[in-house]
C-alpha cells in the first residue's frame, strides 16, 4: 500500500469515528448534545482537528443521516431480494422499515428531522432516493401483476406507503399509540395488508 492510500484510509477511519461518536452522543443524551467540542472529546481529538474533516456540526449530521438511509437501504434490499412475490416484498418492506425505526430510533429521528435537506428533488441524498425506490419498484410490480393501476401511479403509492409507515413510527415514538410498540407492531402488519389490498383492487376508472 502506497503512502497516499494509507493516508486516505486513515482519514476515512477518523471520519467514521467522528460520525460514530456523534451518533453515540445523541443516543446517550439527545441531538442538542452533539457539538464539535463533545465529539472531539469523545474521539480524544482537538476541536481543530474535527474541523479538518467537517466544517460544522450540520455537516457531521448530514453524513450521519446519509449513513442511516444507507443502512435502511441495505435492510430493505435484503427483504426485496428474498421475497417470492411482489405482495410478500411490499409487506416485508413495511415490516423491515418498522423494525429499522424501532431498533435505531435516534438515528431515524435525524433521518427525518434534519433541517435544510431537500426531498423529492434532484438534491435529495442518493441514499434516501434509493430507499424510496426500494418501496416503489415492488409496488409497481404488484400493481402491474394485478392489472388494476397505471404503472405511473407507483410513485404516488410509494409516497403513501412511506407516509403511512412514517406516521405510525412517529406516533409510536412520541407515545401516541395505545399499547405502545407491541400493539403498534400489529398495526404495521395490518397497514401492510390493507395497503396491498388497495393496490390490487380495481379503481373506478378501470372498472368502466
Amino acid at each position: 500500500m502506497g503512502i497516499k492510500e494509507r493516508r486516505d484510509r486513515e482519514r476515512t477511519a477518523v471520519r467514521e469515528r467522528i460520525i460514530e461518536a456523534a451518533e453515540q452522543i445523541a443516543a446517550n443524551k439527545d441531538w442538542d448534545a452533539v457539538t464539535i467540542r463533545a465529539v472531539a472529546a469523545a474521539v480524544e481529538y482537538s476541536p481543530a482537528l474535527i474541523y479538518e474533516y467537517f466544517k460544522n456540526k450540520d455537516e457531521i449530521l448530514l453524513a450521519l443521516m446519509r449513513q442511516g438511509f444507507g443502512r435502511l437501504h441495505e435492510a430493505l434490499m435484503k427483504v426485496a431480494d428474498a421475497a417470492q412475490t411482489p405482495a410478500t416484498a411490499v409487506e416485508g418492506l413495511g415490516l423491515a422499515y418498522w423494525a429499522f425505526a424501532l431498533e435505531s430510533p435516534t438515528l431515524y429521528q435525524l433521518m427525518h428531522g434534519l433541517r435544510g435537506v431537500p426531498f423529492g428533488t434532484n438534491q435529495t441524498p442518493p441514499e434516501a432516493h434509493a430507499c424510496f425506490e426500494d418501496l416503489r419498484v415492488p409496488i409497481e410490480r404488484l400493481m402491474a401483476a394485478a392489472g388494476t393501476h397505471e404503472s405511473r401511479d407507483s410513485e404516488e403509492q410509494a409516497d403513501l406507503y412511506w407516509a403511512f409507515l412514517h406516521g405510525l413510527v412517529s406516533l409510536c415514538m412520541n407515545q401516541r399509540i395505545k399499547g405502545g410498540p407491541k400493539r403498534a407492531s400489529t398495526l404495521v402488519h395490518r397497514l401492510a395488508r390493507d395497503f396491498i389490498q388497495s393496490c390490487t383492487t380495481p379503481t373506478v376508472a378501470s372498472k368502466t
Side-chain angles (χ1 to χ4, degrees), residues 24-194:
Q24 192 60 49
I25 291 169
N28 292 338
K29 298 179 180 178
D30 55 43
W31 289 109
D32 289 336
V34 179
T35 64
I36 295 296
R37 285 188 175 279
V39 171
V43 296
E44 299 181 340
Y45 287 129
S46 69
L49 187 140
I50 303 300
Y51 284 115
E52 291 183 15
Y53 292 86
F54 299 95
K55 64 181 181 181
N56 53 39
K57 167 185 171 177
D58 286 346
E59 198 169 87
I60 297 176
L61 297 184
L62 178 59
L64 184 53
M65 184 203 75
R66 294 184 61 173
Q67 191 175 93
F69 276 110
R71 294 178 197 172
L72 176 59
H73 172 56
E74 291 178 2
L76 296 180
M77 281 295 294
K78 287 181 181 179
V79 172
D81 290 343
Q84 299 298 311
T85 66
T88 57
V90 172
E91 181 175 12
L93 289 167
L95 300 180
Y97 186 98
W98 167 256
F100 174 87
L102 212 61
E103 292 167 3
S104 306
T106 305
L107 181 58
Y108 183 89
Q109 290 167 2
L110 174 69
M111 290 161 57
H112 293 280
L114 185 60
R115 297 183 299 274
V117 181
F119 275 66
T121 73
N122 292 333
Q123 285 74 47
T124 300
E127 297 84 357
H129 180 73
C131 290
F132 181 81
E133 286 298 295
D134 291 335
L135 297 177
R136 188 196 66 77
V137 172
I139 290 172
E140 182 179 43
R141 292 171 180 166
L142 178 68
M143 294 190 301
T148 54
H149 297 264
E150 296 289 339
S151 61
R152 64 175 179 270
D153 293 337
S154 63
E155 184 170 316
E156 292 184 0
Q157 293 292 342
D159 275 326
L160 288 172
Y161 198 29
W162 196 333
F164 293 151
L165 291 166
H166 175 65
L168 191 54
V169 167
S170 297
L171 287 171
C172 186
M173 285 185 175
N174 288 287
Q175 300 180 357
R176 297 295 188 270
I177 290 290
K178 180 181 178 180
K182 183 176 182 180
R183 179 169 175 268
S185 293
T186 66
L187 295 179
V188 173
H189 283 269
R190 178 174 177 177
L191 166 63
R193 292 193 297 268
D194 288 351

